[in-house]
Amino acid sequence: MTTGDPYNLARSILQKLSCSISLLCSLMIISSITSSKINLSKTQQRLLLGISCCDSITSAIWIFTDLFMPPSGNIHTCNAQGFIIQFGNISNVLYMVALQIQYVLTIKYGWNDTKMKKLEGALLGVPPAFGSGTAITALVLDLYNPADWDCWIAPYPGDCTSTFEINKGNSDLEETDCIRGDNTSIYQWAFFFAPLWTAIVFCIGVMAVVVKSVKKVEERTARAALKSNRISRLVIRRPSRRSGDVPHPDARGDEENAADRQTIDVQRQSPSAVRFTLEHTAIRQTTETPPANNPKSDLSAKNNLPRRKKPKLALTSRVKAQSVLYALGFFIVWSFPTMARFIQLIGGTMHPILGVLAGCFIGSQGLWNAIIYFRPKYNKIDKDHWWQKIWV
């Protein structure tokens, strides 16, 4: 830890704090998923398990980052930290992409669990495969060296000139003076920043597609409900008859008058309309409330009423909310590190406060994931058991 610079001190303290909270939250998600066979059988839960595992190892390694970097550590501990961070971070990013793919296939294209199982191998296997491949490659090429606040892909010494810069004619040197980590800027882009920025754009695009798809379903459902409402309120009368054949309405009973108002004009209605109205009338008659002086009959009629199923639209809206929130959490975590890297890319000077925010937010993925993951369970707890909201 650098104590001379207050910004470095603040970044070190805040990063350790955010990583500690993130580690605890990731472990809570892991415990919730692994303790339920139902959760383990779902693709979405397995993807969240992969995200939480990757976040937990990177958070733990960042908490003790001073032990891995010189002067406390050595080249071997630096290689170990760089390997874990490269594997954990890029695997986490790709797992988030896989999670968004699962959401869009479920919401927009209606994939069920059986169909999703066919793609589950790729969704669960590609992130750790790419993370392992890039981490091993960087280790073999001696790319792990002390960076800003950890050991990662960086040149050593930090001000050395890479072979790529020499070949571009930006230096008078004939060969690189880098002891370790030659051409690290290329590997940083190939192994992390290019996949990261592509993932951010992809998740934002998926979020827009999901929101648009659910909005269309809601509009279509609202139109169908309005149309059904109008049909159910339609009063169909029987054709008029000669006054001599029909007694005056006042001379007939109320039940008979009501029956006449519900009679269908067979000559004017199509067979399907007749069938619908007859069925509708039969349902109304069978579900009619019995007299109040017969409680057993009242209870029997109540039990015989058809049970209303949970609306599929409400479930889709909840899934959409989770998808959008995971994408927003992912964007928030990597927004400040992305801005810092973009300023460096265009040759600008990064403000120290931006460095503090980048170091603080980059280790907070587990916190955002836990808030989103436990949110549905939190909302289901009623006010009488408010104390359960403290630990869902």
Side-chain angles (χ1 to χ4, degrees), residues 175-197:
E175 61 179 12
T176 180
D177 58 344
C178 295
I179 300 175
R180 289 170 55 89
D182 188 20
N183 296 326
T184 51
S185 60
I186 298 177
Y187 292 107
Q188 285 178 351
W189 276 99
F191 289 174
F192 188 74
F193 286 111
L196 171 64
W197 290 8

Side-chain angles (χ1 to χ4, degrees), residues 119-153:
L119 193 63
E120 184 176 326
L123 295 177
L124 294 174
V126 171
F130 185 84
S132 300
T134 56
I136 293 173
T137 302
L139 180 63
V140 173
L141 297 177
D142 294 330
L143 301 180
Y144 297 130
N145 298 292
D148 292 332
W149 58 71
D150 58 7
C151 287
W152 190 54
I153 301 176

Side-chain angles (χ1 to χ4, degrees), residues 236-239 263-271 273-274 278:
I236 305 175
R237 301 177 181 272
R238 66 165 53 180
T263 304
I264 302 170
D265 184 2
V266 180
Q267 298 176 353
R268 295 184 180 181
Q269 299 295 326
S270 62
V274 173
L278 288 174

Side-chain angles (χ1 to χ4, degrees), residues 104-304:
V104 75
L105 292 177
T106 302
I107 296 175
K108 182 174 177 58
Y109 298 101
W111 281 34
N112 54 23
D113 292 339
T114 304
K115 199 171 183 179
M116 192 64 66
K117 289 291 184 182
K118 300 178 181 179
L119 193 63
E120 184 176 326
L123 295 177
L124 294 174
V126 171
F130 185 84
S132 300
T134 56
I136 293 173
T137 302
L139 180 63
V140 173
L141 297 177
D142 294 330
L143 301 180
Y144 297 130
N145 298 292
D148 292 332
W149 58 71
D150 58 7
C151 287
W152 190 54
I153 301 176
Y156 182 78
D159 58 350
C160 66
T161 305
S162 64
T163 302
F164 180 72
E165 294 294 331
I166 296 175
N167 293 337
K168 286 173 59 179
N170 297 337
S171 176
D172 296 333
L173 297 176
E174 295 183 357
E175 61 179 12
T176 180
D177 58 344
C178 295
I179 300 175
R180 289 170 55 89
D182 188 20
N183 296 326
T184 51
S185 60
I186 298 177
Y187 292 107
Q188 285 178 351
W189 276 99
F191 289 174
F192 188 74
F193 286 111
L196 171 64
W197 290 8
T198 303
I200 291 175
V201 174
F202 177 82
C203 290
I204 293 175
V206 168
M207 181 175 63
V209 170
V210 168
V211 171
K212 185 178 180 180
S213 176
V214 174
K215 185 177 180 180
K216 286 184 177 180
V217 174
E218 290 175 346
E219 292 176 351
R220 188 165 58 248
T221 304
R223 289 195 299 267
L226 181 61
K227 185 177 180 180
S228 176
N229 229 1
R230 290 175 178 174
I231 294 175
S232 62
R233 293 180 180 180
L234 184 62
V235 178
I236 305 175
R237 301 177 181 272
R238 66 165 53 180
S240 60
R241 292 179 289 184
R242 293 177 300 177
S243 59
D245 298 336
V246 183
H248 192 273
D250 294 338
R252 301 187 302 174
D254 292 337
E255 295 181 358
E256 189 177 354
N257 287 327
D260 279 346
R261 287 194 298 268
Q262 295 177 357
T263 304
I264 302 170
D265 184 2
V266 180
Q267 298 176 353
R268 295 184 180 181
Q269 299 295 326
S270 62
S272 59
V274 173
R275 190 182 308 111
F276 167 78
T277 309
L278 288 174
E279 293 174 351
H280 183 67
T281 305
I283 293 174
R284 292 182 59 186
Q285 291 176 354
T286 55
T287 58
E288 192 174 355
T289 306
N293 57 358
N294 191 353
K296 293 184 178 181
S297 178
D298 180 56
L299 180 61
S300 176
K302 183 177 180 181
N303 293 333
N304 290 331

Side-chain angles (χ1 to χ4, degrees), residues 33 36-50 99 102 112-114 116-117 120 123-124 315 319 373 380:
I33 295 175
S36 172
K37 293 183 179 180
I38 298 178
N39 288 341
L40 285 175
S41 64
K42 298 179 180 180
T43 303
Q44 182 252 4
Q45 295 289 315
R46 294 187 183 187
L47 291 173
L48 287 172
L49 178 62
L99 181 65
Q102 187 268 338
N112 54 23
D113 292 339
T114 304
M116 192 64 66
K117 289 291 184 182
E120 184 176 326
L123 295 177
L124 294 174
L315 178 61
V319 175
Y373 180 81
K380 289 180 180 179

